[in-house]
Amino acid sequence: MTRLLESLAAQSRQPDEIIVADGSGTAEVEQLVAQPTWVASGLNVRRIAVQPPNAVRQRVAAIADAQGEYLLMLDDDVVLEPDCVAELMAALGSDPHVVGAVADYNTQSWPMPTRAWRFYMRYVLGMKPRSWEGRVVGPLLRFGYNPTPANTAPIEWLSTCNTLVRRSAYDAAGGFSDFFLHRCTMNEDVDLGLKMSRVGALVFCPRARLGHFHAPGGRVSPRDAAEDDLYNRYFVMRRTQGRSALSAFGSACLYFVIETISNLGGAALRRRSNGAGQRLTGRLRALGKIVARPGPGRAALKHYWSVVRDHPRPLRFLAAKALVATGACRLFTIEQRGYRLRFHPANLSSQLWIEPHGRDQALEFFRDYLKPGDRVVDVGANIGDTVLTAAVQVGPTGHVTGIEPHPRTFRFLQDNVALNGVHNVRLINSAVGAAPGTARFSDDRRDDMNRIGGGSLEVRVARLDDLVADWTTIALLKVDVEGYEKFVFEGAPELLKLARCVYFEVSSLHFPRFGYSTRDLLTLIEYSGFRLFRANDSRQLIPITTEYDTANFENLVALRDLDDFLRRTGWSLGASGS
């Protein structure tokens, strides 16, 4: 610690106060802090005792005792270069959106992925080479930069031995998670970085440098470090990221497999164990402790077992969950009639991989109605099964516009269209409403249920008339926007005049959250010149009125010309109420 204090005294921008959180239980640190040298050097140093010792508990105590807006977190075995603090302050002070700055090391290299992790990231996650630099990947594995960039660069994690943060952002993020207070600490910095990145940006500052004079991973044995590493990763995924017990445990198992392969492979190449056996033992102990934990985790596993037991295809269901959890799902495709879908980590992709023909009945409407040369607009395109079904049916002389607001789902949609090499599809990443602007959008893990209102994402909103303004006729307008349908139609008076058929979802469970009823929606559509029908399983249209209502999720059909529809499809007209 003497070298640390000496380097702080030599800073071009000295800290206003230095708090030593002492967990040693001896008089040595107290005597060191009391030396008059530090006062003579301009340092304001004070000591607080923290027992029992624990890195997170000690940091939390020091932060609670600190007075300033900026918090510089250091280990007792680091030595700062003279401009380190000044450079970190400059990185934070230049942009109020930046809430944390990380210094570079001059005595050790940044963590780099092993061959096993490189293979996983490139061929399973589909990440381009070096796109992992500065990021947290998979089950919370952090990577640095190599070579070190010349200028400030974004980073997704913190290292609590070399980081300056804004106290206001630290408080807004909730500080360190309490589950790190009960075990030897590992990953507390990654966890804090994930939480603070929700408040603002984190940056790596290469001009701020310091030496770190113990091995990465701390002063514990390889076995204890590996055990705590895996055990705490489970807690970060479970509590900080809000993942289910099964999902977090599955990712912990994935980490166990890849890290074990890395350690054993490295030991074989180097012809020395380097603690590989101890690390394997530690991870096995961590998995055992996770499984043995009482409480919500066990209840979740019990519930999951009942779901698997009652599922019509339990093995396929379990395989789908495992593939999504590991990211290996992207290696698979799902065969459909006339096209393929990539097995992306999305709810609809999982459903179709488990049961590839599970949507055939819903898609039969599009196959029966659409003809070569037709023009189609799909609002709420999701991963693209309706877009691609329509594209196959209308052929190269037809055209399909697919509109999807969620950025991640839109990337899946783009990939599926590219996978099939179709050239008669235009894709638009936007929400659709009554007026242009922006809106909050949900980011639910059940991604086929995401919708406008109260979410964590901000998306663009456009009027449908502005997005599709160059056509003279539209054979089919499909709208499935989880309750926002009325506002889509309010922003499309001109397009509705061009449409011959509208296929849209209704449910009385959806509409009240947006302040209207099923009757309001049906009245708007009928006023636009359409007749209203529901379709049954016998390829019949059943006439309905604006009084029709249902709590079920059901697709209705609005037509300008009933005879044209019947000629196109070969369907028949059923009696009202049948």
Side-chain angles (χ1 to χ4, degrees), residues 152-169:
T152 300
I155 197 168
E156 294 181 353
W157 55 277
L158 300 176
S159 178
T160 47
C161 69
N162 63 338
T163 292
L164 181 72
V165 301
R166 296 184 192 273
R167 186 189 194 112
S168 56

Side-chain angles (χ1 to χ4, degrees), residues 139-159:
L140 308 181
L141 196 71
R142 60 187 183 183
F143 297 119
Y145 287 92
N146 187 19
T148 301
N151 300 310
T152 300
I155 197 168
E156 294 181 353
W157 55 277
L158 300 176
S159 178

Side-chain angles (χ1 to χ4, degrees), residues 30-233:
E30 185 176 6
Q31 293 170 357
L32 174 65
V33 170
Q35 291 179 6
T37 305
W38 314 125
V39 176
S41 301
L43 297 183
N44 173 19
V45 187
R46 63 181 182 274
R47 168 190 169 272
I48 58 174
V50 182
Q51 289 293 328
N54 172 289
V56 170
R57 188 179 291 112
Q58 289 167 250
R59 294 192 196 284
V60 169
I63 289 170
D65 196 57
Q67 302 299 313
E69 162 59 13
Y70 297 96
L71 304 172
L72 177 60
M73 291 182 281
L74 302 170
D75 280 358
D76 61 359
D77 54 6
V78 300
V79 177
L80 287 66
E81 292 186 0
D83 291 327
C84 184
V85 175
E87 293 289 355
L88 289 172
M89 287 291 293
L92 255 65
S94 60
D95 184 351
H97 182 60
V98 175
V99 298
V102 181
D104 193 14
Y105 299 116
N106 59 22
T107 57
Q108 64 188 46
S109 59
W110 284 63
M112 293 292 115
T114 62
R115 293 181 182 180
W117 276 106
R118 289 175 191 266
F119 179 89
Y120 173 75
M121 289 188 292
R122 183 169 183 179
Y123 296 105
V124 177
L125 299 184
M127 297 178 68
K128 295 180 179 179
R130 313 206 70 79
S131 63
W132 39 261
E133 289 193 310
R135 296 183 58 183
V136 178
V137 179
L140 308 181
L141 196 71
R142 60 187 183 183
F143 297 119
Y145 287 92
N146 187 19
T148 301
N151 300 310
T152 300
I155 197 168
E156 294 181 353
W157 55 277
L158 300 176
S159 178
T160 47
C161 69
N162 63 338
T163 292
L164 181 72
V165 301
R166 296 184 192 273
R167 186 189 194 112
S168 56
Y170 172 89
D171 292 339
F176 288 99
S177 296
D178 59 3
F179 50 83
F180 288 108
L181 299 178
H182 308 297
R183 292 180 57 86
C184 177
T185 55
M186 291 287 289
N187 303 311
E188 73 277 5
D189 43 12
V190 180
D191 178 72
L192 180 62
L194 290 172
K195 293 163 67 175
M196 289 193 63
S197 64
R198 300 169 184 167
V199 180
L202 308 176
V203 298
F204 168 56
C205 185
R207 289 184 296 276
R209 292 170 58 81
L210 53 77
H212 195 202
F213 293 97
H214 77 258
R219 302 177 176 93
V220 298
S221 69
R223 185 191 66 183
D224 290 343
E227 179 183 346
D228 291 338
D229 178 50
L230 186 57
Y231 192 72
N232 284 329
R233 285 182 195 276

Side-chain angles (χ1 to χ4, degrees), residues 10 36 54 145 150 175 191 329 331 358 368 391 419 473 501 535 550 574:
N54 172 289
Y145 287 92
D191 178 72
C329 57
L331 300 176
D368 288 347
L419 176 67
T473 184
C501 174
T550 177

Side-chain angles (χ1 to χ4, degrees), residues 22 86 98 111 154 177 208 219 230-231 314 319 370 382 385 418 494 521 558 564:
D22 181 14
V98 175
S177 296
R219 302 177 176 93
L230 186 57
Y231 192 72
L370 293 174
N382 202 274
D385 64 333
E494 297 303 318
L521 174 64
D564 175 67

Side-chain angles (χ1 to χ4, degrees), residues 325-366:
T326 61
C329 57
R330 294 180 175 88
L331 300 176
F332 296 83
T333 58
I334 306 162
E335 294 296 329
Q336 297 288 279
R337 285 178 53 181
Y339 59 90
R340 294 178 298 155
L341 297 171
R342 182 88 61 196
F343 185 1
H344 289 107
N347 210 30
L348 182 55
S349 292
S350 293
Q351 294 171 21
L352 290 174
W353 191 82
I354 295 167
E355 178 48 72
H357 302 294
R359 292 256 295 171
D360 276 2
Q361 187 173 349
L363 297 175
E364 283 303 321
F365 178 89
F366 298 87

